[in-house]
Amino acid sequence: MPQGLTHVYALVERAAANGPDHPALVDVTAGTTLTWEDLHAAAGAEAERLRAAGVTPGDRVAVVLPNGEAFGVALFGALRAGAVVVPIGPRAVARELEIILGDATPRVVVAGPGESAVAAAAAGAGAQVLPPPPSGEGAAATGPRAGSADGAREASGDGGEAIALLVYTSGTTGRPRGVRLSHRALLANRAQLASLRPSPVTPTDRVLLALPLFHVFGLAAGLLQVAWAGATVVLTERFDADAMPDLLIRQRVSAIAGVPSMYRALLDVPAEQLRAGFAGVRICTSGGAPLPPKWFAAFHDATGLDIVEGYGLSEAGPVVTSNQVGGAARPGSVGRPLPGVELCLVDAVGRPLADSRDDEDEGEEGDVADVYTDLADDTGLVAVRGPNLFSGYWPDGEGGPDAEGWFRTADVGYLDGNGDLHLVDRTSDLVIVNGFNVYPREVEQVLAELAEVAEAAVIGIPDDRTGAAVKAVVVRTPGSDLTEEQVNEHCAVRLARFKRPTTVAFVDELPRTPTGKIARRTLAEV
């Protein structure tokens, strides 16, 4: 276990001991700040509150709160009490709440006032609902101070293989599924990220997180990485591109973790304001979805900063690769595996590509490879291995790493000549036209070549003759009058016939999930 740590809460304990008066959490929306000693004390008080409500080590505690001080205290308080934290988005609909709470069966749900859907789902799951933990000085004053006898290990056990987070993700099933992340996995991934140079988070950084904390990217790669470094996290409840430059200056932000759609929205801010706002920022990271190369270039032109792109998934705690491995950001690539993480490409049954290709007949007429355009030949499913991997899905660990430690993801990619990973798509997004595979991202990249296209998303729609057809949903650049005919002409000379969109719809903006990913399931109705 990294640096002798076995329990995630020990990060707070260590930060409070090393820098008790150093700001830990700045809640911009509420206008409050907690030092690491404050946070340690408030988490101790929250742990006592949860114990009084009947929470024992191993019980689940669902946290349904927006970004802010209350989320941080609830999270670390539950961990200190030895509970398994189940983060849930505060805007989750009744169906999602019923599925997640019914599956996780938490002892307690911590939620804001007036959440009738939460209360109903909690009642159905037999869980008690508690209000958010008290704010600021009141909570801190009642909790044990840093270095007290009521330390994390004594209160919470040794951690290690015990589950710390139960993160629900729909993955390829369409139904939320609980990813069991142990203390071991989360701490291993924090150490892997911390070993990068330059480090994504240093002790002196003030890290802006507008990412939702109920998602593993914002929670683990964001908040827990800040705790690892003993740095400062600046939390906003919502992302506001227009307000961002001033916020960065006022809060002296030096690092930002975001998703591609956030950086795209920032490009609409006047260039002078954007450059001034980012003058004190040393590093910008992006994940959660592929970053279009033209957004990368436009952001660099506007701010002088490169965006460091990475790739991860809930099951890996979450970060797998980064452009920082290898020393340079490469547009279109998500980089190489972090130190301590192994990665290979496999076929549908898990065999490494080299092994599976030995069994193939070469040169057969009609081979899919003969009609591919602009993709490397060696595409396969991304498989990963490392101490940061999850312990299978809730409740019994089914679907976890195999006997040799490998986990086969649903992501399709290829490795370029430098060994950098390029993501093609997820198998769940695959469109099969007349038996041929169409990867939406390939078509989206071709559409992005048009200067009149600000953004595009591609999905499959039913077709009586071919089984499925390709539909493109396009956002025009301001002032553009791009037509469907022009899109078709562009694609006709760049894509094989079966990959070309048969339908093109134009919209003002693409629908997105709270984590910034394109909500593909709603595109068929556009």
Side-chain angles (χ1 to χ4, degrees), residues 321-342:
T321 70
S322 171
N323 279 153
Q324 286 182 274
V325 182
R330 297 179 178 85
S333 156
V334 293
R336 304 175 194 174
L338 301 184
V341 176
E342 298 177 75

Side-chain angles (χ1 to χ4, degrees), residues 208 210-211 236-242 244 261-263 265-266:
L208 177 68
L211 296 167
T236 61
E237 190 170 329
R238 291 182 178 85
F239 172 73
D240 184 340
D242 292 331
M244 188 60 63
S261 59
M262 288 172 49
Y263 293 109
L266 286 168

Side-chain angles (χ1 to χ4, degrees), residues 228-411:
W228 175 279
T232 303
V233 64
V234 178
L235 295 176
T236 61
E237 190 170 329
R238 291 182 178 85
F239 172 73
D240 184 340
D242 292 331
M244 188 60 63
D246 181 61
L247 175 64
L248 297 178
I249 294 170
R250 283 190 293 107
Q251 294 295 337
R252 306 187 310 282
V253 170
S254 58
I256 297 174
V259 293
S261 59
M262 288 172 49
Y263 293 109
R264 171 62 187 85
L266 286 168
L267 294 175
D268 292 331
V269 175
E272 289 186 6
Q273 293 181 30
L274 196 63
R275 183 172 284 271
F278 278 82
V281 175
R282 71 172 184 88
I283 188 169
C284 297
T285 59
S286 178
L291 177 73
K294 68 180 182 181
W295 295 1
F296 176 98
F299 188 81
H300 177 82
D301 290 344
T303 66
L305 293 168
D306 286 339
I307 299 174
V308 177
E309 191 172 6
Y311 158 66
L313 60 157
S314 298
E315 291 86 347
V319 186
V320 174
T321 70
S322 171
N323 279 153
Q324 286 182 274
V325 182
R330 297 179 178 85
S333 156
V334 293
R336 304 175 194 174
L338 301 184
V341 176
E342 298 177 75
L343 182 149
C344 71
L345 301 180
V346 300
D347 63 15
V349 296
R351 294 179 300 175
L353 287 189
D355 295 342
S356 62
R357 281 186 167 75
D358 289 341
D359 299 332
E360 294 179 357
D361 293 327
E362 298 182 2
E364 291 186 6
E365 185 177 356
D367 190 337
V368 175
D370 294 337
V371 288
Y372 258 101
T373 55
D374 299 327
L375 280 179
D377 291 334
D378 293 331
T379 55
L381 294 173
V382 177
V384 296
R385 181 166 66 177
N388 55 308
L389 288 183
F390 73 136
S391 303
Y393 296 102
W394 181 263
D396 55 7
E398 180 185 3
D402 64 21
E404 296 181 349
W406 288 97
F407 175 67
R408 187 169 71 250
T409 76
D411 296 307

Side-chain angles (χ1 to χ4, degrees), residues 429-463:
D429 297 330
L430 188 69
V431 183
I432 302 178
V433 179
N434 270 336
F436 291 109
N437 291 348
V438 180
Y439 294 104
R441 192 179 180 208
E442 180 190 6
V443 184
E444 291 164 0
Q445 288 173 330
V446 170
L447 294 171
E449 295 172 1
L450 286 164
E452 298 88 349
V453 172
E455 194 173 9
V458 167
I459 61 168
I461 55 175
D463 186 277

